[in-house]
Amino acid sequence: MSERWARAALTAYRYAGAVAYPLIGPYVAWRASRGKEDRARRRERYGVAGRPRPEGPVIWIHAASVGETIAVVPLVESILDYGVNIVLTTGTVTSAKVAEERLGSRIIHQYVPLDLKPAVSRFLDHWRPELAIIAESEIWPMTILELGARNVPQVLVNGRLSDRSFMSWKKRAGVAEALFENLAHVIAQSDVDGERFRALGARPVTVSGNLKVDTNPPPVDERALATLQRQIGGRPTWAAISTHDGEEVVAAEVHASLHRRHHGLLTIIVPRHPDRADALAAQISGMGLSVARRSKGDRISHDTDILLGDTIGEMGLYLRLTEIAFVGRSLTSQGGQNPLEPAMLETAVLAGRNVQNFREAYQRLLDSGGAKLVRDRDMLTGAVNFLLTNEAARHEMMAAGAATVDEMRGALARTLKSLEPYIQPLVVKARLKGANGR
């Protein structure tokens, strides 16, 4: 959230209470209206509960989207083992599906309330959480302030501040300190993130590592995998995953440059936003390449050039079809996407140089030889060609990446240790209530 909105929310909360609604309402409503909502459950975004509150202590855990949801699943499962109720909020339909698939009825899922005082208050009045755990890189002022006003401990886990966010907050140090002083604890991903949170006034801050490292590899439908593997046969493959605007065309151009050199080459393109698939298919077909779309159930024939992975939740499938993956939002866009999933599935990782959002993960992979950064399309073409041609070098990269992920594990245990002082009193309370109930 921009600092202008944060300042407006903070000022409105302190001096005019519900006046925050007209001040930040238009911005938040716009954020929430971009095709990410379940219309049948829209009222949840205004804090109207879709379920009754269970008896006993409740922990509210928030994960914004798919990546954060996947990252907190092991954490949620560990806390559930203590016998404490969990309300898990997410912000998108896709992340809600992930929560349903991986956690089912063990948790109560709700869509996160808009960061408006009436919505947040309504949500908190109903659920009355005794602890809030937030796995989120964005800062929501009204939610933080409302929890603070109710003396609900709130802990930021897997905390990260991008270069841009940190510089923006630093220019408004007073606003940042007024918000971050409400956090009971910040558990940061890296030493750099930890220092940034401390510089903005957060106390205490500990460093856990990235929770995404302690997740399981993305799942796969074995039947679908076997079907696609039969269709592909022994053809050489490489993938461009989590791509953003412009990177799909780059991948198609790489394919056009290499397909004569590597007979039968199949390029797998998985856009970060599958809703762009119609335009991408038309654009790539216009380059004279044959496209098979996963969402349409198109068969991969001998003359298929591009498999367009325009589905959600099948990254585990696409990554198991190749040993080389370019990870997007790094060549024509800024920030990068998570390289840990391909690495843990023993895939040689390539990326552009704009990987600031996953700096530590990429640095570890680069140091071990599990990843390589490329400057432009021509360098990407050369890197893919080299890996397709040199099996030994490719397998060395694959093994190095998987080993690096194994070495990075441990964030979950460190996070649980930091959370223990906040969770244990609730565990005792839940057990006492259960004993009294019997």
Side-chain angles (χ1 to χ4, degrees):
M1 178 177 285
S2 73
E3 312 320 311
R4 180 167 62 88
W5 290 108
R7 187 182 295 277
L10 184 62
T11 303
Y13 179 84
R14 284 183 162 177
Y15 298 107
V19 174
Y21 188 93
L23 279 172
I24 70 172
Y27 174 77
V28 179
W30 172 79
R31 287 276 310 218
S33 65
R34 296 181 293 169
K36 297 183 177 181
E37 293 190 317
D38 181 343
R39 290 183 178 275
R41 297 172 59 185
R42 184 183 296 171
R43 284 165 57 85
E44 292 176 20
R45 300 305 304 271
Y46 297 95
V48 179
R51 300 268 297 276
R53 186 194 188 280
E55 294 294 324
V58 168
I59 296 176
W60 173 23
I61 299 180
H62 173 62
S65 57
V66 172
E68 288 84 2
T69 304
I70 292 172
V72 301
V73 165
L75 178 63
V76 171
E77 291 175 329
S78 297
I79 295 174
L80 286 171
D81 289 341
Y82 291 125
V84 180
N85 299 305
I86 291 179
V87 174
L88 175 66
T89 58
T90 65
T92 66
V93 173
T94 308
S95 53
K97 291 179 180 176
V98 170
E100 171 63 27
E101 290 169 358
R102 305 202 180 189
L103 296 167
S105 60
R106 290 179 291 167
I107 53 97
I108 297 173
H109 176 270
Q110 297 282 278
Y111 284 105
V112 66
L114 299 173
D115 196 48
L116 310 173
K117 182 174 171 56
V120 175
S121 294
R122 197 175 293 119
F123 177 90
L124 295 177
D125 286 344
H126 177 82
W127 294 109
R128 304 190 309 280
E130 297 184 55
L131 172 65
I133 300 173
I134 304 165
E136 172 73 274
S137 58
E138 294 178 342
I139 304 299
W140 296 102
M142 193 56 60
T143 300
I144 290 175
L145 292 168
E146 276 292 297
L147 285 166
R150 295 168 188 245
N151 296 314
V152 177
Q154 43 190 317
V155 181
L156 184 67
V157 300
N158 219 37
R160 177 176 61 84
L161 279 172
S162 67
D163 296 347
R164 182 177 178 181
S165 293
F166 176 61
M167 293 307 297
S168 185
W169 281 114
K170 197 174 180 182
K171 292 175 183 176
R172 297 158 180 84
V175 174
E177 186 173 358
L179 287 173
F180 291 135
E181 69 182 7
N182 288 277
L183 300 178
H185 202 126
V186 172
I187 306 173
Q189 285 188 24
S190 69
D191 291 332
V192 171
D193 293 308
E195 287 304 317
R196 288 177 173 180
F197 279 110
R198 291 187 189 98
L200 295 174
R203 299 287 190 280
V205 178
T206 56
V207 177
S208 67
N210 193 335
L211 280 176
K212 293 180 180 179
V213 181
D214 283 356
T215 60
N216 293 321
V220 65
D221 181 330
E222 294 291 348
R223 182 177 298 180
L225 176 62
T227 298
L228 291 183
Q229 286 175 331
R230 282 195 302 269
Q231 293 176 11
I232 295 171
R235 298 172 61 179
T237 65
W238 77 285
I241 66 169
S242 300
T243 52
H244 287 241
D245 189 26
E247 291 173 333
E248 296 87 5
V249 171
V250 169
E253 291 173 342
V254 170
H255 176 91
S257 297
L258 295 178
H259 79 281
R260 290 188 182 88
R261 198 175 311 177
H262 299 279
H263 179 69
L265 179 65
L266 177 70
T267 294
I268 303 164
I269 299 177
V270 187
R272 176 69 172 175
H273 302 292
D275 55 0
R276 299 169 51 232
D278 289 344
L280 289 174
Q283 190 174 23
I284 295 170
S285 296
M287 298 169 63
L289 300 174
S290 174
V291 179
R293 292 180 60 176
R294 171 69 179 153
S295 67
K296 305 290 186 183
D298 294 343
R299 180 179 177 81
I300 301 172
S301 62
H302 70 279
D303 61 350
T304 300
D305 294 298
I306 308 291
L307 169 60
L308 186 59
D310 55 346
T311 55
I312 293 174
E314 292 195 307
M315 187 61 76
L317 171 66
Y318 301 124
L319 286 173
R320 286 174 173 87
L321 295 174
T322 188
E323 294 180 342
I324 306 167
F326 165 81
V327 183
R329 200 185 177 189
S330 60
L331 203 59
T332 64
S333 297
Q334 296 285 327
Q337 296 287 171
N338 180 17
L340 297 173
E341 287 186 345
M344 70 176 61
L345 283 173
E346 296 192 55
T347 307
V349 174
L350 302 173
R353 296 182 173 183
N354 304 313
V355 293
Q356 305 92 316
N357 291 350
F358 295 89
R359 182 183 287 111
E360 184 182 21
Y362 272 104
Q363 191 59 61
R364 295 284 295 269
L365 289 169
L366 290 168
D367 290 344
S368 70
K372 178 179 176 61
L373 301 186
V374 299
R375 180 178 56 253
D376 52 26
R377 177 196 62 195
D378 292 341
M379 194 171 175
L380 176 60
T381 302
V384 174
N385 178 60
F386 175 80
L387 291 172
L388 288 171
T389 304
N390 295 274
E391 182 178 1
R394 182 172 74 248
H395 286 174
E396 284 180 12
M397 277 190 74
M398 294 159 57
T404 300
V405 172
D406 285 341
E407 292 169 2
M408 293 173 66
R409 294 188 187 278
L412 176 59
R414 289 187 286 271
T415 298
L416 285 169
K417 183 176 181 180
S418 295
L419 285 171
E420 188 174 352
Y422 307 99
I423 294 176
Q424 279 304 319
L426 304 185
V427 174
V428 173
K429 186 175 181 179
R431 289 174 179 170
L432 287 173
K433 184 170 184 61
N436 292 336
R438 288 195 297 271

